[in-house]
Amino acid sequence: MFQIICPNCSNTNLFEKAESRPAECSFCFTTFDDTVVSEEVTDESKGTLCGLKLIYQQNSGTIVIDGPYCILGRENTGSQLLSGIIVNGKNVISRKHCSVKLVDGQYYLKDEGSLNGTFYGVNKIDCSKEPQRIENNSILFLGKEAFLVQYQYEESGNAEMTGAVSEQADAQIHRRYKCNEGCGFESETYYEICPKCMTSNSMVEISETKKDL
Amino acid sequence: MKFNISGFTNKGTGKYVSNEDNILVNGALINEGEILLTENEKCLCFVSDGVGGNNAGGFASAFVLSELLKLVPENFKDISGILYNTNSQLLAVSESDNSKKGCACTLSGMIAFDDFVDFIQVGDSEIWLLRNDMLLKISSDEVSDENKTNSPLINYFGGNNNILKINTDWVKPELLKNDIFLLCSDGLFKSLNIKIVKSILTSSRSLYEKIIKIKENCLAFGSDDNISAVAVEFLGI
């Protein structure tokens, strides 16, 4: 498996063989010329989940979360980016807005009593009542501000995992997803938009087994 | 003149249970769905956005476009007069029916036939032009403060304190081959950023694929507002 991260919208474009490299981004149709680098993605190169990257969709600013737990907010993790998000002259991100926690090899998102709320996914599930599991390449909203979430993996072999990651490594869940809109595309990665037929919200989970690392 | 035209209107993923936007594309009035027309010699396209905070916004946008449906080439040049007349009729209906009291809508439109070209904009519905790899907004939002989101409209059809003014003074571009004009409700750019819309419109895909991709991406990111867009590609004379 290979991937190209779109330089325009940060979408991860996956493809099976080097010779089937896509000519354009499946999300925004940006043309991939020779300067856009593709990289091979294997289970070995993927390594161990060690954090998250949040990409702010308005200006492509990023927040990297590299531990098992953190609080996001204007006076917490991501403060530099989050304190600069001002709408109608007001900060829309709270000082302590939401938290991200690693549990059983999965990151969960929870609102921490913010003024404008924290919502997960296309359907904007409210995270104030119970934590929502964060999937790779999904969207979350702090108030109305959209962030793309990408998993970060540590290189295998030199992985010195933080406590919670290490404790959960043996029990990491191996999931597969399939497009239920007829094209049948299958992947270990969940996509908001099927990379093959470009239908949104069509990916459904088809299996869940323990994976030996 | 020849045009490819494609458009969609959708209620979005937010609070709205119905779509208060409507689009009119060369005689087809659409409340929810998509359209593609190829190599048409006429362009009579409008996007109307029912004002959500008011009563019966969807009725207002459908009413205005229903009147514009009756437009024929002979009266294209009197579009301002027709729009003022349409507004008077909308006010009469809304005043006589409590369920429609205060209903209001905005409008953006493009008319092109033979050598006649005109653009219409009322309120915060938008008109964009893609030319030479640049995506430019050629309309201006008629709101009290353009730098604020959800700023009150200062020009609209219907409403309680009606103040419709059809602006005929703004600079309207001449058509150049391969121009793409994008008429849209304000919901579109609340959901997608300009960079992504521009990237889609400049791609080598067909106009229909582009407009469907814009819709899919709006829904993927989530759209609190109704979203509508009509893309008009000028193929030349």
Side-chain angles (χ1 to χ4, degrees):
Chain A
M1 187 71 84
F2 295 82
Q3 71 175 19
I4 296 176
I5 310 290
C6 175
N8 189 40
C9 70
S10 305
N11 180 44
T12 303
N13 295 266
L14 288 169
F15 51 104
E16 296 285 344
K17 296 173 185 170
E19 53 269 30
S20 60
R21 173 189 156 101
E24 60 185 18
C25 173
S26 65
F27 191 79
C28 71
F29 291 162
T30 292
T31 304
F32 295 144
D33 58 24
D34 293 341
T35 62
V36 180
V37 180
S38 60
E39 55 190 36
E40 190 167 3
V41 185
T42 62
D43 283 345
E44 290 74 33
S45 67
K46 211 171 175 182
T48 308
L49 178 65
C50 65
L52 294 176
K53 183 159 83 172
L54 273 59
I55 303 162
Y56 183 39
Q57 294 301 292
Q58 287 297 320
N59 63 11
S60 300
T62 60
I63 299 170
V64 175
I65 298 165
D66 57 5
Y69 178 75
C70 83
I71 291 174
L72 289 162
R74 273 179 13 237
E75 293 182 356
N76 287 279
T77 303
S79 58
Q80 196 174 353
L81 172 64
L82 299 177
S83 60
I85 301 175
I86 295 169
V87 179
N88 294 346
K90 291 178 184 170
N91 290 110
V92 292
I93 310 296
S94 299
R95 291 184 176 86
K96 182 181 174 185
H97 198 102
C98 62
S99 62
V100 172
K101 190 177 183 182
L102 188 68
V103 180
D104 293 339
Q106 287 285 337
Y107 274 100
Y108 285 79
L109 176 69
K110 188 173 186 305
D111 186 71
E112 294 291 341
S114 68
L115 184 65
N116 294 314
T118 305
F119 307 92
Y120 177 71
V122 174
N123 297 322
K124 293 194 171 176
I125 301 165
D126 190 346
C127 300
S128 62
K129 291 169 187 134
E130 58 182 81
Q132 295 298 320
R133 193 176 73 191
I134 301 171
E135 302 284 358
N136 192 17
N137 291 315
S138 58
I139 299 286
L140 63 85
F141 297 86
L142 305 187
K144 290 185 175 178
E145 306 307 308
F147 292 79
L148 177 70
V149 189
Q150 290 179 340
Y151 279 12
Q152 302 290 290
Y153 296 94
E154 266 182 347
E155 303 262 335
S156 57
N158 61 356
E160 192 175 314
M161 294 178 289
T162 51
V165 178
S166 177
E167 285 166 20
Q168 302 305 329
D170 292 340
Q172 182 145 335
I173 300 298
H174 176 64
R175 292 187 169 81
R176 282 193 73 77
Y177 301 89
K178 184 177 181 180
C179 175
N180 67 352
E181 283 295 320
C183 85
F185 175 79
E186 284 189 29
S187 169
E188 288 181 23
T189 307
Y190 175 81
Y191 295 97
E192 297 276 342
I193 296 175
C194 171
K196 188 173 178 187
C197 68
M198 299 194 301
T199 307
S200 55
N201 298 326
S202 63
M203 300 291 282
V204 294
E205 201 170 301
I206 53 172
S207 64
E208 186 175 280
T209 55
K210 295 273 177 81
K211 180 184 180 183
D212 294 324
L213 296 173
Chain B
M1 290 193 280
K2 283 197 174 168
F3 303 92
N4 284 341
I5 305 169
S6 186
F8 75 90
T9 180
N10 189 289
K11 74 181 178 68
T13 57
K15 62 191 174 186
Y16 289 95
V17 290
S18 64
N19 186 5
E20 297 193 341
D21 287 2
N22 283 279
I23 60 172
L24 175 62
V25 177
N26 283 11
L29 177 56
I30 302 168
N31 178 246
E32 187 82 29
E34 297 114 25
I35 189 168
L36 169 67
L37 300 174
T38 53
E39 300 201 10
N40 267 234
E41 292 184 349
K42 181 177 77 172
C43 168
L44 185 63
C45 298
F46 294 92
V47 170
S48 185
D49 179 355
V51 178
N54 290 36
N55 226 355
F59 167 79
S61 63
F63 184 92
V64 168
L65 295 191
S66 301
E67 290 302 309
L68 292 172
L69 196 55
K70 299 169 191 167
L71 270 177
V72 288
E74 291 74 43
N75 54 23
F76 281 173
K77 285 180 182 169
D78 187 32
I79 183 72
S80 294
I82 290 165
L83 291 172
Y84 281 120
N85 187 40
T86 299
N87 189 45
S88 301
Q89 291 176 45
L90 178 64
L91 285 169
V93 173
S94 70
E95 280 163 15
S96 64
D97 183 344
N98 266 344
S99 70
K100 297 180 176 64
K101 207 165 185 62
C103 68
C105 67
T106 64
L107 183 75
S108 60
M110 176 177 173
I111 302 172
F113 184 66
D114 281 346
D115 57 350
F116 178 82
V117 179
D118 201 2
F119 297 87
I120 294 103
Q121 190 230 337
V122 172
D124 61 359
S125 288
E126 301 169 12
I127 305 174
W128 293 74
L129 166 60
L130 181 83
R131 177 182 290 174
N132 297 335
D133 246 11
M134 286 189 293
L135 184 61
L136 306 167
K137 189 175 181 181
I138 59 171
S139 60
S140 57
D141 291 346
E142 294 174 324
V143 293
S144 56
D145 186 345
E146 275 202 61
N147 297 318
K148 291 184 178 176
T149 51
N150 299 323
S151 181
L153 292 167
I154 54 170
N155 194 17
Y156 47 82
F157 288 89
N160 290 320
N161 301 301
N162 188 259
I163 44 160
L164 178 69
K165 183 178 179 297
I166 305 296
N167 187 357
T168 53
D169 298 335
W170 52 293
V171 179
K172 295 161 188 175
E174 304 246 333
L175 303 193
L176 295 182
K177 192 177 176 184
N178 299 325
D179 276 351
I180 295 180
F181 292 89
L182 183 71
L183 317 174
C184 61
S185 59
D186 61 335
L188 179 65
F189 286 97
K190 284 180 188 170
S191 179
L192 282 187
N193 69 36
I194 295 167
K195 203 167 65 169
I196 290 176
V197 174
K198 183 191 155 192
S199 176
I200 293 169
L201 289 177
T202 50
S203 72
S204 57
R205 299 293 187 100
S206 72
L207 194 65
Y208 184 67
E209 284 178 296
K210 290 174 187 176
I211 211 79
I212 294 301
K213 193 67 187 162
I214 288 173
K215 185 189 86 169
E216 295 277 359
N217 287 359
C218 282
L219 297 178
F221 272 121
S223 174
D224 275 349
D225 203 352
N226 305 144
I227 35 172
S228 300
V230 175
V232 179
E233 182 179 22
F234 179 52
L235 304 173
I237 297 171

